[in-house]
Amino acid sequence: QDELQLNPLVLELVGLAIKTLFLMHLAACVWHWSAQFMLPGDKESASWNSSMFDDRVEAAMDTWLQYFGPELQAGQWPSTLDAYTASMYWALTTMSTIGYGDIRSITNVEKLVSIVIMLAGSVVFGIVVGGMQGVLEQINSVRMRATEKKDYVKAMLRERGIPAEVTTKTKQYYNHYLLECADIATEQKI
């Protein structure tokens, strides 16, 4: 933080975003597993044949993987990237309580996973909103303190009759310093 000279509030927002993405990733992995759990055989096995693929496609159509119905019926299993993207999409829409319904729970395992993710998602959503509110309140309080200090400096410059050119440069310095550079410890020195 000090070495990169980044605002701690920005770092807090970035940390919040990373934590949310990680939780979405975990939810997506569990969601993907909930369908894989119901499928027969392993598509990577050496003894894979078209009959096994057909059985796997038929089983997949009874899970959320029916989202990939056209590809499956054309004889193509969804790529890992396609399945992961669909799982992350489901996790985001579920955790954010949007839930479009295009990817939906079919099996009991999927329904249980959905329930758990919806409950966890509402808690995570509340934490994220609360965290963002806290960061915004801190930003607002920094701006309010900066405004108070600038008003104090303006009054002092006016009382002492400092020339307009020096007053303008001093205001510019404090605008930059108080809003961009200052932390609480250095603010107290001023």
Side-chain angles (χ1 to χ4, degrees):
Q1 172 182 328
D2 292 333
E3 293 171 10
L4 297 176
Q5 296 180 349
L6 294 174
N7 187 328
L9 301 177
V10 171
L11 285 178
E12 193 172 332
L13 281 176
V14 169
L16 201 56
I18 289 171
K19 290 173 189 171
T20 303
L21 284 172
F22 178 70
L23 290 173
M24 275 179 45
H25 166 77
L26 290 178
C29 289
V30 170
W31 178 246
H32 183 70
W33 170 83
S34 71
Q36 297 298 320
F37 178 72
M38 306 303 289
L39 301 180
D42 177 13
K43 70 177 183 141
E44 306 299 329
S45 77
S47 62
W48 192 254
N49 61 43
S50 67
S51 171
M52 293 171 90
F53 182 81
D54 292 341
D55 291 344
R56 196 167 170 87
V57 167
E58 187 177 325
M61 294 305 287
D62 292 331
T63 69
W64 75 266
L65 289 171
Q66 65 181 239
Y67 175 76
F68 296 107
E71 292 96 332
L72 291 170
Q73 290 169 348
Q76 279 200 311
W77 195 259
S79 71
T80 303
L81 179 62
D82 289 342
Y84 181 73
T85 303
S87 296
M88 282 293 281
Y89 167 77
W90 174 88
L92 174 63
T93 59
T94 302
M95 290 176 72
S96 65
T97 69
I98 294 171
Y100 290 119
D102 50 349
I103 299 176
R104 56 192 173 87
S105 307
I106 306 296
T107 67
N108 285 334
V109 171
E110 291 170 351
K111 289 175 184 174
L112 287 171
V113 168
S114 293
I115 290 168
V116 169
I117 299 302
M118 281 185 246
L119 290 171
S122 61
V123 170
V124 168
F125 188 70
I127 290 169
V128 168
V129 169
M132 289 177 70
Q133 179 185 2
V135 168
L136 293 174
E137 284 176 3
Q138 288 178 9
I139 289 171
N140 191 34
S141 71
V142 166
R143 289 194 186 278
M144 287 178 62
R145 281 195 314 270
T147 301
E148 288 173 7
K149 290 197 180 292
K150 286 189 298 185
D151 289 344
Y152 176 77
V153 168
K154 284 181 205 175
M156 184 190 68
L157 292 170
R158 198 175 26 245
E159 284 174 11
R160 298 194 178 170
I162 305 296
E165 184 179 315
V166 175
T167 299
T168 302
K169 287 185 178 188
T170 304
K171 286 179 187 177
Q172 288 172 348
Y173 170 77
Y174 275 100
N175 277 333
H176 171 74
Y177 183 79
L178 291 173
L179 293 176
E180 304 295 329
C181 305
D183 59 14
I184 292 174
T186 52
E187 259 187 62
Q188 291 173 348
K189 291 178 185 176
I190 296 176

